[in-house]
């Protein structure tokens, strides 16, 4: 059995006209943070409230509240989407 180390919890959209005091939630587990982020982004893009975090005994522990999900999803994207030619601190690979 593979160890799961990340979870994503999201609201389940209401169906019908029944008035409930609280929305139902569902949780999925993932092996990597990237998988968890991809799933969380899809639920977030659907307009659902999403939380995430690491599963105990994963260290260091992380809990991402719904208000912080967007910044968590954007973590690391600056590095992935940046162009090395635009970064003055990166060597250009040219021989001068």
């Amino acid at each position: 059995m593979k160890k799961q180390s990340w979870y994503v919890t999201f609201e389940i959209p209401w169906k019908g006209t029944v008035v409930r005091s609280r929305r139902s939630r569902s949780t999925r587990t993932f092996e990597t943070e990237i998988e968890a982020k991809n799933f969380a982004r899809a639920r977030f893009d659907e307009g659902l409230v999403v939380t995430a975090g690491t599963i105990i005994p994963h260290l260091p522990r992380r809990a991402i509240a719904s208000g912080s999900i967007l910044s968590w999803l954007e973590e690391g994207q600056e590095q992935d989407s940046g162009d090395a030619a635009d970064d003055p601190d990166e060597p250009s690979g040219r021989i001068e």
Side-chain angles (χ1 to χ4, degrees), residues 22-76:
R22 186 174 167 192
R23 288 192 172 210
S24 297
R25 289 181 259 174
S26 183
T27 300
R28 296 249 333 248
T29 58
F30 302 91
E31 290 185 41
T32 67
E33 184 177 8
I34 292 170
E35 292 171 321
K37 280 185 176 184
N38 290 338
F39 182 79
R41 178 169 302 284
R43 300 298 80 77
F44 183 80
D45 290 346
E46 291 173 10
L48 302 178
V49 174
V50 178
T51 60
T54 55
I55 297 172
I56 298 171
H58 188 275
L59 292 175
R61 294 182 186 141
R62 288 194 64 189
I64 298 96
S66 60
S68 302
I69 284 292
L70 188 57
S71 62
W72 175 64
L73 293 173
E74 292 173 350
E75 277 179 13

Side-chain angles (χ1 to χ4, degrees), residues 83-93:
D83 187 359
D86 294 338
D87 190 350
D89 296 331
E90 285 290 318
S92 65

